[in-house]
Amino acid sequence: MKKEFEEFNSSIDFDRLLYQEDIEGSIAYVKALQKAGVITDKELQKIVDALQEIKDEIRQEIPLPLQIEDIHTAIEHRLTEKLGEVGKKLHTGRSRNEQVVLDERMYLKKEIKNIVEVITSLQKAIVKIAKDNIDLIMPGYTHLQQAQPILFSHYILSLAFMLRRDKERLLDCYKRMDTCPLGSGAIAGNPYNLDRKFLAKELNFSKVSENSIDAVSDRDFILEFLSSIAILMMHLSRFSEDFIIWSSSEFGFIEIDDSLCSSSSLMPQKKNPDSLELIRGKTGRVFGNLFTLLTVLKGLPLTYNKDIQEDKEPLFDTISTVLACLKIFKNVMATLKFNKEKISKSINSYLLATDLADYLVKKGIPFRESHKIVSLLIRYAIEKNKSLKELSINEYHSFSNKFCKDIYDILDYKVSVERRNLKNIVKKEIQTLANNLL
Ligand code: ARG
């Protein structure tokens, strides 16, 4: 029974990921203990050397004792194995409650920087695709119905801007995460007169936490991270969905590279966009991770309770999932092929209805009225099974005498896109992103 509980209680299987931060935190802590006169110079040196060795041992995957509860205890245990009595001094005045949250803050700060870099490289890939296909006209959709002709480059750059906001959110939560909790003790602070500013500086934190009760209870920084990543994944998922639809034989706008698809085990003709489907699917578990932690914290009495140990798996899972998804999504983007003919053929001629209405506005008809005229005209064209170009000038005249021969000049998708100055807007977007991807 004892063994069963020990396994149940243990987090070492997953919190070993924090070993580097834990050791760095301990090194800073013993330095502060020495500064405060709690340990001698010699003891400090011994502990620091031994901790460095332990770091190498763990890096070389020398197995940690399994019956030990967590990475913090395991490292301290190993230190005492190595140094005897001196090792036992490391934890003077310190609690795992502050230690765990310190490690998590350090770990997550590093991971945020890493994720931000990976997002930037995806943004660069997007900018490249936009540049390479700057003139590609496609139908733009609202309600999944064709709305107006747009440039694919404009469409795909919208993701680069969403990603820019995602990075802003991450870097914003980084600012609050960048607070050193060490010195908070288990709940009520530290009696050894530690120099907390020194600790923060040693560990690259820009400030120290002010309320020890808050410091050991708080997991907002993880929640903020999980919600920022949930939003980012939602963005990737929406684009995945568009590309999945566009790669279907009904649309046939794009082809996803074979290396990112699978074939059906039963139907030889099939090529499935698994990469994008998995990104869409994994978005669900990233949302779930946010809800796991929100639920763990809801109704949890202050301060530390063991429930909080459940913060780690959702956090680590979200980090590895988002990194994998960003990388795969970038590969999909970088190898995307366009079926330009199919895209251009798919554009419905009635998409120029708004352009016709604008034409009448230019001739002095108020927009609401021109909208009505064009609606009737489109209904007529559909009835006659004619495209807008196939309607004669007399037919146009029967709807409004403001229609002249030059109407045929605007019945062109390219003109429609140019009227909205889209190409220049795209060029400006590319410039903005190049200057400031953040
Ligand atoms: N493994 C624990 C966790 O991850 C560390 C803190 C334990 N603190 C305690 N008072 N039992 O939350």
Side-chain angles (χ1 to χ4, degrees):
M1 221 153 76
K2 182 146 195 304
K3 192 163 180 296
E4 251 174 30
F5 170 68
E6 272 173 7
E7 260 169 37
F8 183 70
N9 197 31
S10 164
S11 53
I12 194 142
D13 266 357
F14 45 88
D15 67 14
R16 58 180 303 144
L17 273 182
L18 299 171
Y19 79 94
Q20 273 178 326
E21 289 70 23
D22 199 74
I23 288 175
E24 281 164 32
S26 288
I27 291 176
Y29 192 72
V30 278
K31 284 186 185 166
L33 285 179
Q34 184 266 339
K35 264 189 102 200
V38 180
I39 60 169
T40 66
D41 283 7
K42 240 174 128 187
E43 287 170 331
L44 168 67
Q45 205 47 54
K46 273 192 182 169
I47 297 175
V48 170
D49 291 348
L51 284 170
Q52 298 287 15
E53 283 166 25
I54 296 172
K55 205 198 273 187
D56 289 339
E57 288 172 11
I58 303 178
R59 191 178 296 131
Q60 288 158 27
E61 300 195 355
I62 296 173
L64 292 164
L66 266 181
Q67 73 280 19
I68 280 190
E69 194 185 315
D70 56 26
I71 189 68
H72 327 291
T73 322
I75 290 170
E76 199 192 334
H77 185 273
R78 184 77 189 110
L79 187 73
T80 311
E81 257 178 17
K82 280 176 173 287
L83 301 182
E85 289 301 300
V86 177
K88 292 185 187 163
K89 295 194 177 182
L90 163 67
H91 211 53
T92 314
R94 189 173 67 163
S95 160
R96 280 183 296 154
N97 296 358
E98 57 181 333
Q99 199 178 347
V100 64
V101 87
L102 170 74
D103 295 0
E104 289 179 321
R105 283 176 185 270
M106 288 169 67
Y107 183 84
L108 198 43
K109 275 170 66 184
K110 188 182 71 191
E111 287 300 328
I112 286 185
K113 291 228 160 121
N114 184 20
I115 293 170
V116 164
E117 257 174 47
V118 179
I119 299 175
T120 305
S121 84
L122 172 58
Q123 286 177 303
K124 285 183 179 158
I126 291 169
V127 169
K128 181 167 185 318
I129 298 167
K131 275 186 186 160
D132 291 349
N133 299 281
I134 196 158
D135 291 313
L136 177 59
I137 297 177
M138 65 172 294
Y141 295 86
T142 64
H143 310 265
L144 209 54
Q145 308 287 328
Q146 291 200 7
Q148 282 184 292
I150 58 168
L151 290 175
F152 173 80
S153 50
H154 193 49
Y155 163 85
I156 197 63
L157 285 174
S158 70
L159 176 57
F161 284 98
M162 293 178 200
L163 291 169
R164 188 168 77 168
R165 291 196 298 277
D166 292 324
K167 290 203 292 195
E168 282 168 4
R169 269 184 284 273
L170 285 170
L171 293 170
D172 186 55
C173 78
Y174 182 99
K175 286 185 216 152
R176 284 175 290 281
M177 198 176 296
D178 192 15
T179 305
C180 184
L182 210 51
S184 302
I187 166 170
N190 184 302
Y192 291 94
N193 201 17
L194 295 185
D195 183 347
R196 295 194 62 208
K197 284 205 174 120
F198 165 81
L199 277 171
K201 206 162 164 255
E202 281 288 297
L203 295 170
N204 269 324
F205 281 98
S206 66
K207 54 194 168 302
V208 296
S209 58
E210 287 166 274
N211 181 311
S212 61
I213 292 175
D214 178 32
V216 294
S217 311
D218 173 31
R219 293 295 182 278
D220 294 1
F221 66 100
I222 302 184
L223 287 174
E224 286 188 47
F225 171 77
L226 293 179
S227 32
S228 305
I229 299 297
I231 296 174
L232 159 60
M233 285 296 299
M234 175 274 291
H235 292 149
L236 294 186
S237 186
R238 289 184 76 175
F239 279 83
S240 296
E241 171 69 359
D242 271 352
F243 290 136
I244 289 167
I245 295 176
W246 295 351
S247 70
S248 66
S249 47
E250 285 75 7
F251 273 81
F253 285 6
I254 54 166
E255 201 187 318
I256 298 158
D257 197 69
D258 286 357
S259 63
L260 294 150
C261 293
S262 77
S263 52
S264 159
S265 52
L266 179 70
M267 298 157 281
Q269 85 287 3
K270 281 193 83 195
K271 185 171 134 176
N272 304 325
D274 295 34
S275 42
L276 296 174
E277 290 169 332
L278 276 171
I279 291 171
R280 192 178 56 188
K282 284 173 191 293
T283 302
R285 83 193 232 184
V286 169
F287 290 4
N289 288 339
L290 170 62
F291 269 80
T292 298
L293 187 58
L294 279 172
T295 312
V296 165
L297 293 169
K298 177 190 175 295
L300 195 70
L302 264 61
T303 54
Y304 181 85
N305 299 264
K306 198 56 178 270
D307 316 42
I308 305 184
Q309 181 163 284
E310 290 293 309
D311 63 351
K312 278 167 218 65
E313 285 158 299
L315 172 62
F316 296 148
D317 182 66
T318 291
I319 293 171
S320 57
T321 304
V322 72
L323 283 170
C325 290
L326 283 165
K327 284 173 190 161
I328 294 290
F329 193 87
K330 183 183 154 195
N331 293 344
V332 174
M333 291 288 97
T335 52
L336 207 58
K337 283 188 211 78
F338 297 91
N339 186 343
K340 297 191 176 163
E341 214 187 298
K342 206 140 185 214
I343 296 176
S344 115
K345 276 204 181 129
S346 78
I347 309 175
N348 184 321
S349 87
Y350 304 132
L351 287 206
L352 298 172
T354 320
D355 300 78
L356 286 182
D358 291 336
Y359 172 96
L360 292 178
V361 167
K362 268 203 189 132
K363 304 254 164 149
I365 300 183
F367 184 75
R368 278 290 159 227
E369 204 173 314
S370 73
H371 184 278
K372 214 177 280 167
I373 295 169
V374 175
S375 300
L376 293 171
L377 179 106
I378 299 282
R379 207 171 301 162
Y380 170 85
I382 293 173
E383 245 164 53
K384 297 276 171 201
N385 199 16
K386 283 182 172 183
S387 72
L388 293 177
K389 268 203 162 140
E390 285 164 348
L391 293 176
S392 70
I393 190 67
N394 285 340
E395 286 172 304
Y396 274 105
H397 267 155
S398 65
F399 290 89
S400 164
N401 58 11
K402 299 281 181 195
F403 282 123
C404 301
K405 277 221 154 125
D406 61 356
I407 191 69
Y408 296 102
D409 299 340
I410 68 153
L411 294 179
D412 179 330
Y413 306 125
K414 211 168 154 213
V415 173
S416 165
V417 164
E418 271 163 16
R419 280 187 50 236
R420 283 168 281 128
N421 204 18
L422 275 192
K423 189 167 171 181
N424 281 330
I425 289 173
V426 166
K427 282 185 181 162
K428 223 175 123 204
E429 290 176 50
I430 291 173
Q431 200 51 48
T432 310
L433 287 164
N435 291 341
N436 173 19
L437 270 175
L438 285 179

